[in-house]
């Protein structure tokens, strides 16, 4: 009876084992395969995307990391069989091992293969599979100083094995509150002085990606030459971090490793000290603002005084612009035209002089007006002087110059009058006065050029020029010294060049 029961037990075991084997075949080749891990057999259909018609070979077979794949050769009919494992010939003739001829899975992500060759018939049957990934875990964690000491004292065998967690007891560390099953801290908060850590991760492949979130901006490629997958981070700033490792790009969170930790702030940045320091800073900033406010008031007071001086200079300049000599010459020219019975020319002269006087009187109420108004006034003045001296004039304006730009009222007239009087008055139609206006960077540059004899001796400037220089000095008090006037002979040796430089508003 006992023998019968034992026989039945063996038959059931054999049947159970046979049921767990998946058979593939081609011709007379018939092979059984099964996947086994931790005393558990995995159904092949749960590890692949289906089976090839005819041969029943698994499609895209992926076995769990750490499992074994075995073969069953009971059904092979031929005697001369070659077995090629990963492109290398392993056996010739029928393999002796049948049910327990297992191959342990290799590193995660690797590809494996068995190729059976029936040399008598010539049939070939290839079984291929990939090794999957298991969830990554942090193997060990060490303070940077401790691991550096370990390397220093055990340099000779550091490349044989790295220290395990039993060699550093986190239970003795006062600021660690909880340990996991591996004896490593859970969500630790490290003091500011212990801001360097060594992480150790097992079984990383070349496809792995590593990132210290809070330190790296993105995932970093894993260096396969890094011995034992050691990752050192030193001198970390206070803050929250997460040591994050992906077994391969795009891996799910279930397979990836996430280890959060915190580096605490130093005592002088903690709340009480921060409040006290903040109060002190507020006091200091308040003092600085008070001093700045007082200085600002003084500066505004000084600017008001400068503005007052500028206004007085403006009034003096405007009164001096159309001096009695100019008005006398204008009236004398009108009288000559009338006496010659050139009434139409006289009327034109009177009209232009009237418009000029109106423009001057209108401008006398302001310190600044638009550039187009200043050029209109100068154009009227040039047209009046051309009736007397017959010279020609032209005004050229660069495309990048805005005619709405504000300039001091009647700034140009004294320099243009000087160019007429001392430059082209005696040249008749050969005399030329040119005004060029351009913008460079944040400056407006105005050049007044004549083709007269130039400056052959120290220039005795007119009262209008002296008043203009006074205006420039006062403008510099408002423009921080950036306004300037330069009078010199032209570079081509013909006539005089006046360059006025004004900062743009």
């Amino acid at each position: 009876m006992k023998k019968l029961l034992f026989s039945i037990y063996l038959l059931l075991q054999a049947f159970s084992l046979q049921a767990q084997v998946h058979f593939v075949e081609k011709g007379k080749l018939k092979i059984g395969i099964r996947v086994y891990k931790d005393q558990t057999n995995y159904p092949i259909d749960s590890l692949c995307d289906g089976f090839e018609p005819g041969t029943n070979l698994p499609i895209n077979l992926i076995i769990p990391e750490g499992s074994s794949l075995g073969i069953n050769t009971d059904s092979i009919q031929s005697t001369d069989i070659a077995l090629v494992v990963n492109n290398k010939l392993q056996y010739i003739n029928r393999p002796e091992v049948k049910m327990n001829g297992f191959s342990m899975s290799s590193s995660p992500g690797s590809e494996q293969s068995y190729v059976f060759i029936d040399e008598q018939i010539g049939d070939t049957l290839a079984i291929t599979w990939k090794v999957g990934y298991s969830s990554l875990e942090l193997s060990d964690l060490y303070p940077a100083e401790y691991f550096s000491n370990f390397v220093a004292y055990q340099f000779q065998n550091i490349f044989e094995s790295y220290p395990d967690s039993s060699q550093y007891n986190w239970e003795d560390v006062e600021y660690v509150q909880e340990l996991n099953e591996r004896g490593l801290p859970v969500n630790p908060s490290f003091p500011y002085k212990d801001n360097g850590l060594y992480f150790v991760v097992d079984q990383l492949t070349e496809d792995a990606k590593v990132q210290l979130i809070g330190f790296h901006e993105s995932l970093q490629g894993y260096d396969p030459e890094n011995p034992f997958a050691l990752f050192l981070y030193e001198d970390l700033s206070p803050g929250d971090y997460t040591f994050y490792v992906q077994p391969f790009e795009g891996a799910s969170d279930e397979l990836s490793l996430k280890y959060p930790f915190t580096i605490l702030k130093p005592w002088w940045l903690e709340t009480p000290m921060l409040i006290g320091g903040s109060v002190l800073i507020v006091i200091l900033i308040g003092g600085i603002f008070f001093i700045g406010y007082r200085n600002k008031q003084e500066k505004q007071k000084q600017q008001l005084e400068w503005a007052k001086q500028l206004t007085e200079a403006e009034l003096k300049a405007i009164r001096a612009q159309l001096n009695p000599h100019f008005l006398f010459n204008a009236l004398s020219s009108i009288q000559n035209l009338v006496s010659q019975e050139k009434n139409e020319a006289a009327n034109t002269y009177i009209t232009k002089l009237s418009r000029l006087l109106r423009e001057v009187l209108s401008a006398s109420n302001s310190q600044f007006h638009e550039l187009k108004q200043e050029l209109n006034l100068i154009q009227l003045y040039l047209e009046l002087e051309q009736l007397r001296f017959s010279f020609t004039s032209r005004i050229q304006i660069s495309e990048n110059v805005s005619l709405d730009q504000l300039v001091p009222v009647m700034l140009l007239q004294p320099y243009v009058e000087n160019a007429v009087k001392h430059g082209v008055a005696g040249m008749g139609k050969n005399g030329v006065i040119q005004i060029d206006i351009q913008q460079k960077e944040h400056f407006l540059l105005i050049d007044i050029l004549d083709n007269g004899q130039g400056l052959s001796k120290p220039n005795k400037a007119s009262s209008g020029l002296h008043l203009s220089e006074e205006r420039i000095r006062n403008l510099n008090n408002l423009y921080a010294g950036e306004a300037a006037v330069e009078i010199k002979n032209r570079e081509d040796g013909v006539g005089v060049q006046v360059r006025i430089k004004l900062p743009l508003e």
Side-chain angles (χ1 to χ4, degrees):
M1 186 64 178
K2 289 184 177 179
K3 290 183 179 179
L4 179 60
L5 291 175
F6 183 70
S7 298
I8 294 173
Y9 172 76
L10 291 178
L11 287 172
L12 291 173
Q13 287 291 101
F15 177 79
S16 175
L17 193 59
Q18 186 77 0
Q20 295 167 353
V21 176
H22 176 82
F23 287 97
V24 297
E25 56 185 310
K26 184 177 182 182
K28 291 187 177 182
L29 287 174
K30 185 178 181 181
I31 310 297
I33 60 175
R34 70 188 180 106
V35 177
Y36 180 86
K37 180 181 179 182
D38 298 333
Q39 300 181 353
T40 300
N41 285 279
Y42 289 87
I44 299 300
D45 58 0
S46 67
L47 303 177
C48 67
D49 295 336
F51 304 96
E52 290 184 0
T55 62
N56 210 28
L57 284 168
I59 300 173
N60 192 25
L61 177 60
I62 300 178
I63 68 174
E65 180 188 351
S67 64
S68 303
L69 185 140
I71 59 172
N72 177 288
T73 60
D74 285 345
S75 301
I76 295 178
Q77 303 298 321
S78 304
T79 56
D80 295 327
I81 299 296
L83 175 60
V84 180
V85 179
N86 297 332
N87 299 320
K88 294 182 180 179
L89 185 64
Q90 298 290 322
Y91 304 100
I92 298 179
N93 299 324
R94 184 184 179 91
E96 296 180 0
V97 179
K98 298 180 180 180
M99 290 305 299
N100 57 351
F102 283 87
S103 173
M104 293 294 293
S105 64
S106 184
S107 61
S110 63
E111 293 190 9
Q112 308 288 310
S113 65
Y114 284 157
V115 180
F116 294 90
I117 304 172
D118 186 333
E119 294 185 334
Q120 289 185 352
I121 303 176
D123 282 337
T124 300
L125 184 61
I127 303 172
T128 61
W129 69 93
K130 290 183 180 180
V131 181
Y133 295 85
S134 60
S135 299
L136 291 178
E137 291 185 357
L138 185 64
S139 302
D140 293 297
L141 176 69
Y142 306 92
E145 182 179 357
Y146 171 82
F147 199 88
S148 299
N149 292 338
F150 178 88
V151 173
Y153 288 117
Q154 301 195 33
F155 182 79
Q156 292 182 349
N157 61 10
I158 182 62
F159 296 105
E160 297 177 6
S161 65
Y162 54 79
D164 57 30
S165 57
S166 63
Q167 292 182 266
Y168 188 83
N169 188 0
W170 286 100
E171 290 182 353
D172 296 335
V173 180
E174 59 181 4
Y175 50 79
V176 173
Q177 306 298 326
E178 182 183 355
L179 302 179
N180 62 18
E181 63 277 4
R182 300 183 65 92
L184 303 179
V186 177
N187 295 322
S189 295
F190 299 104
Y192 177 72
K193 61 183 181 63
D194 295 328
N195 60 346
L197 293 170
Y198 254 113
F199 297 89
V200 184
V201 184
D202 281 343
Q203 298 182 344
L204 288 188
T205 67
E206 294 184 3
D207 297 332
K209 303 291 183 181
V210 182
Q211 180 183 9
L212 183 60
I213 300 174
F215 180 79
H216 293 133
E217 292 185 359
S218 59
L219 288 167
Q220 311 294 305
Y222 167 59
D223 181 7
E225 297 182 1
N226 179 356
F228 313 111
L230 306 177
F231 302 93
L232 171 63
Y233 302 99
E234 294 184 298
D235 299 326
L236 294 173
S237 301
D240 295 324
Y241 299 90
T242 299
F243 180 62
Y244 178 56
V245 185
Q246 280 187 343
F248 56 91
E249 187 172 0
S252 64
D253 288 343
E254 290 76 12
L255 295 177
S256 302
L257 164 65
K258 288 187 177 181
Y259 185 80
F261 65 96
T262 300
I263 302 296
L264 299 174
K265 297 177 182 178
W267 63 268
W268 59 86
L269 292 180
E270 295 298 336
T271 303
M273 290 300 300
L274 202 58
I275 293 175
S278 299
V279 172
L280 181 60
I281 291 173
V282 169
I283 293 174
L284 290 174
I285 293 176
I288 293 172
F289 272 109
F290 175 75
I291 295 173
Y293 175 73
R294 188 174 62 182
N295 291 340
K296 183 178 180 180
Q297 283 188 320
E298 291 292 329
K299 186 176 181 179
Q300 288 177 342
K301 182 179 179 181
Q302 189 177 36
Q303 287 179 337
L304 289 174
E305 181 62 27
W306 289 336
K308 180 180 178 182
Q309 295 177 11
L310 182 62
T311 301
E312 293 175 353
E314 290 284 343
L315 295 175
K316 292 179 182 177
I318 291 171
R319 285 195 298 268
Q321 297 304 319
L322 298 179
N323 52 55
H325 179 70
F326 167 72
L327 290 176
F328 174 78
N329 289 334
L331 294 173
S332 177
S333 298
I334 295 172
Q335 184 181 17
N336 288 335
L337 290 172
V338 172
S339 63
Q340 296 175 23
E341 296 184 353
K342 297 180 179 180
N343 295 334
E344 185 175 353
N347 286 334
T348 300
Y349 203 113
I350 292 171
T351 301
K352 290 182 180 294
L353 179 60
S354 174
R355 287 179 56 194
L356 177 61
L357 292 174
R358 190 181 302 111
E359 291 287 342
V360 171
L361 290 175
S362 175
S364 65
N365 295 322
S366 305
Q367 295 184 28
F368 297 89
H369 63 175
E370 294 177 349
L371 176 60
K372 59 187 175 185
Q373 294 176 285
E374 179 73 6
L375 295 179
N376 183 49
L377 192 151
I378 290 300
Q379 183 63 42
L380 285 172
Y381 174 77
L382 286 170
E383 290 174 1
L384 282 172
E385 293 289 53
Q386 286 169 338
L387 291 173
R388 296 173 55 204
F389 300 114
S390 300
F391 64 90
T392 59
S393 66
R394 56 177 175 268
I395 299 175
Q396 295 183 345
I397 305 171
S398 297
E399 293 182 357
N400 63 339
V401 173
S402 171
L403 292 176
D404 296 329
Q405 169 67 32
L406 296 179
V407 296
V409 171
M410 292 195 69
L411 178 65
L412 303 183
Q413 197 274 338
Y415 302 105
V416 174
E417 180 182 350
N418 213 49
V420 172
K421 181 177 180 182
H422 300 288
V424 301
M427 298 178 64
K429 294 183 178 181
N430 293 326
V432 177
I433 291 179
Q434 179 173 328
I435 301 174
D436 293 335
I437 303 174
Q438 57 183 319
Q439 177 181 330
K440 287 188 177 180
E441 296 178 349
H442 61 285
F443 288 101
L444 186 68
L445 301 180
I446 303 174
D447 290 321
I448 302 171
L449 305 101
D450 66 66
N451 63 340
Q453 295 181 356
L455 302 172
S456 58
K457 57 183 179 179
N459 183 36
K460 293 183 179 179
S462 67
S463 60
L465 291 183
H466 285 303
L467 288 169
S468 294
E469 291 175 0
E470 183 179 349
R471 294 174 74 193
I472 292 296
R473 284 194 298 271
N474 282 278
L475 285 171
N476 276 334
N477 290 330
L478 296 177
Y479 287 145
E482 292 186 300
V485 175
E486 181 184 14
I487 303 176
K488 63 179 182 179
N489 285 324
R490 292 171 57 174
E491 293 182 358
D492 57 9
V494 180
V496 175
Q497 175 184 3
V498 178
R499 166 156 287 190
I500 303 173
K501 176 182 175 184
L502 294 174
L504 294 173
E505 286 295 323

